[in-house]
Amino acid sequence: MSHHLVKRFSSKERLVHWTNMCTFIVLTLTGLGLYSQTFFGLTSIFGGVDMSRVIHHYAGLVFIATTFLIFFQWFKDFTAAGEDSLGDVISSYMNHDYESPPSGKLNAGQKLLGFIVFSFGVIMGLTGIFMWFPDLLGRGIQQWMYFLHNFVFILFMLLILLHVYLGTAASPGTWRGMYKGTVTKAWAKKHHGAWDGDEV
Amino acid sequence: MAKKMIIVDTSECIACRGCQTACKQWNNLSAVLTVNRGGYENPPDLGYNTYVKIRFNEKEAGGDVRWLFGQDRCMHCTDAGCEMVCPVPGAITRDSNGAVIIDQNLCTGCKYCVFGCPFDIPRFDSANKEGFGKNRAFKCTMCADRQGMGMAPACTKTCPTGALTFAEKADLPDVSARARKAGMTVYDGDALSTNVVFLLEDNPDAYGLPAKPAIPTPAYLWRTVMKPVGVVAFVLGVLAVITHLVTVGPKEVEEGDDTPSSSPYQGGGGSDVSSPR
């Protein structure tokens, strides 16, 4: 019946990624509410500013933990050799006739994303811990922690916007890999020609 | 009401610390148990229950040691860093007299104001001694409650030498001119335009005051610069995504014999993708 499907991500891998995704959304909404009076209305979603802070702190811990789990569970895919380059990936999304060398399980852009997301996660986690316990550092350094947390968040948000777009509307059939864990053979051939996934 | 100011004329201060006591009395602040540190300066720092403190600055000149008495206190900036970084509407406000006031009932204890203050003034009640909740910020209120009843702040009321005076902010040019004529430095926070004005006998450094007071650069970048940058970046990002979607369009998988579904969004809507065509 389902000979046309290929296993993409295990349920364990998907659970980790989903947890990371959900905490990212919660952290974004609570974080914006805690950032500025402009976004203060968002704190009411979470039962006020005090509760927003509690949720932000503990969701942050889960987010950092799952960021590490993601990095390690896909580390060998992030570091795998591949024939395609980042330029190939970009070109293939800008021009559908572009002939890109076949990608492995992850294309060059996804590998790069893996490293950037991990780096951003670590920076957000570190600066976040110092915002939670602001007396650990000197005054001058601490002031930069707030700025860094905010600055890296903006980059992170843009990156995740791109990631979500490429994983859904820009590339039909991809979402299934994160939703059900399987993709169609045709999808695998089109996007990851050099990847030899297991049939389901 | 017209803006007011507290003038701290350091040449008149005899460090009696009456202001410290009057402040505690009016604001009903508890005492601090301290140890002898070998000097008259006490307590060692401002606290959630200490809004003003006389600082005994020592300056050596020609083999002599001179005391330069200064006062640690909220400067009540017109351009207030604490107010700028505070994320809770109404938690830090400025009243029409120019006083910058923290409302502990609204404060959430994030400590942003501590690091946004150019003068390192707000302090925390980390053990919830005041009962507002942990880590609520406290500092001098310029006795806004007294001012509301037409009274001068407690510290200025009690000062026996005239070192602390309460005046109309409009008088600042006259006060400054007189002080400068007497060879003193007028310290009003430059661009911050503080409503506490120091008349100094030496340069600000000697009193532990920042020579160039300003809202900390990272705080300014964090809040004033990055907020619009972030909003614009997000909107542009969404527009870029929409533009790509409607011009270049999605990277469709060509339907082959082994693709099952009529929907291009396989699995996205929970459609039955497992049955072959």
Side-chain angles (χ1 to χ4, degrees), chain A residues 70-95:
Chain A
I70 284 177
F71 191 62
F72 291 125
Q73 77 184 7
W74 291 327
F75 184 75
K76 71 176 199 308
D77 300 324
F78 291 153
T79 50
E83 290 174 45
D84 60 330
S85 71
L86 183 64
D88 291 326
V89 177
I90 295 171
S91 300
S92 71
Y93 274 101
M94 298 313 289
N95 172 14

Side-chain angles (χ1 to χ4, degrees), chain A residues 38 50 53 139 165 176 186, chain B residues 108 114 117 222 227 244 259 273:
Chain A
T38 310
D50 291 349
R53 288 186 71 220
R139 212 176 139 71
Y165 174 59
R176 191 194 160 94
Chain B
T108 185
V114 171
C117 174
W222 171 41
K227 187 165 75 181
H244 181 270
T259 44
V273 291

Side-chain angles (χ1 to χ4, degrees), chain A residues 65-132:
Chain A
T66 50
T67 296
F68 272 87
L69 289 176
I70 284 177
F71 191 62
F72 291 125
Q73 77 184 7
W74 291 327
F75 184 75
K76 71 176 199 308
D77 300 324
F78 291 153
T79 50
E83 290 174 45
D84 60 330
S85 71
L86 183 64
D88 291 326
V89 177
I90 295 171
S91 300
S92 71
Y93 274 101
M94 298 313 289
N95 172 14
H96 293 321
D97 298 328
Y98 182 81
E99 291 287 333
S100 172
S103 304
K105 183 174 182 185
L106 299 181
N107 67 37
Q110 292 169 314
K111 290 172 193 167
L112 183 64
L113 180 83
F115 283 97
I116 299 180
V117 161
F118 180 69
S119 314
F120 282 2
V122 168
I123 297 173
M124 293 305 279
L126 278 177
T127 53
I129 290 284
F130 289 123
M131 287 169 77
W132 191 354

Side-chain angles (χ1 to χ4, degrees), chain B:
Chain B
M1 280 186 277
K3 277 187 114 182
K4 306 282 189 180
M5 65 175 169
I6 292 174
I7 302 164
V8 185
D9 183 347
T10 58
S11 68
E12 300 286 351
C13 181
I14 56 169
C16 68
R17 300 184 299 188
C19 51
Q20 291 183 202
T21 310
C23 175
K24 292 226 172 200
Q25 189 178 30
W26 175 260
N27 293 299
N28 199 17
L29 304 174
S30 53
V32 187
L33 185 64
T34 57
V35 293
N36 190 339
R37 297 178 301 127
Y40 294 104
E41 188 174 319
N42 193 51
D45 191 17
L46 294 175
Y48 73 89
N49 53 0
T50 305
Y51 298 166
V52 293
K53 187 205 123 176
I54 294 298
R55 194 192 269 252
F56 289 57
N57 304 291
E58 291 176 6
K59 175 141 182 169
E60 223 179 303
D64 263 352
V65 176
R66 206 155 56 92
W67 258 332
L68 299 170
F69 301 125
Q71 196 183 36
D72 286 0
R73 66 174 311 146
C74 174
M75 301 288 285
H76 298 283
C77 308
T78 303
D79 184 11
C82 59
E83 187 196 16
M84 185 189 84
V85 297
C86 181
V88 184
I92 300 184
T93 50
R94 269 176 303 131
D95 74 5
S96 54
N97 285 9
V100 179
I101 303 155
I102 299 176
D103 183 342
Q104 282 80 18
N105 289 306
L106 295 174
C107 172
T108 185
C110 64
K111 299 196 179 184
Y112 293 174
C113 56
V114 171
F115 297 94
C117 174
F119 301 99
D120 186 15
I121 296 301
R123 292 291 185 274
F124 280 84
D125 178 18
S126 300
N128 191 22
K129 288 276 173 38
E130 299 289 334
F132 287 102
K134 272 187 81 178
N135 286 335
R136 298 302 183 253
F138 292 82
K139 67 167 193 65
C140 162
T141 64
M142 209 175 172
C143 282
D145 48 352
R146 287 177 61 91
Q147 288 195 45
M149 295 181 286
M151 297 192 287
C155 56
T156 65
K157 176 80 177 168
T158 207
C159 183
T161 65
L164 295 174
T165 45
F166 186 55
E168 299 288 333
K169 187 77 186 277
D171 294 342
L172 183 58
D174 293 344
V175 172
S176 301
R178 262 196 314 253
R180 289 201 181 96
K181 201 171 280 180
M184 300 180 84
T185 305
V186 179
Y187 187 89
D188 67 346
D190 299 341
L192 302 176
S193 182
T194 58
N195 295 317
V196 172
V197 177
F198 278 87
L199 308 182
L200 305 174
E201 294 182 285
D202 207 320
N203 59 47
D205 289 332
Y207 291 87
L209 293 165
K212 289 187 167 52
I215 290 175
T217 305
Y220 178 78
L221 290 174
W222 171 41
R223 299 303 290 272
T224 308
V225 178
M226 295 319 287
K227 187 165 75 181
V229 166
V231 170
V232 168
F234 180 72
V235 171
L236 288 181
V238 171
L239 287 177
V241 160
I242 292 171
T243 306
H244 181 270
L245 187 63
V246 299
T247 55
V248 182
K251 197 153 96 174
E252 304 279 2
V253 176
E254 282 144 40
E255 302 276 316
D257 284 340
D258 53 358
T259 44
S261 171
S262 54
S263 161
Y265 296 92
Q266 289 107 332
S271 57
D272 182 16
V273 291
S274 58
S275 56
R277 194 157 48 166

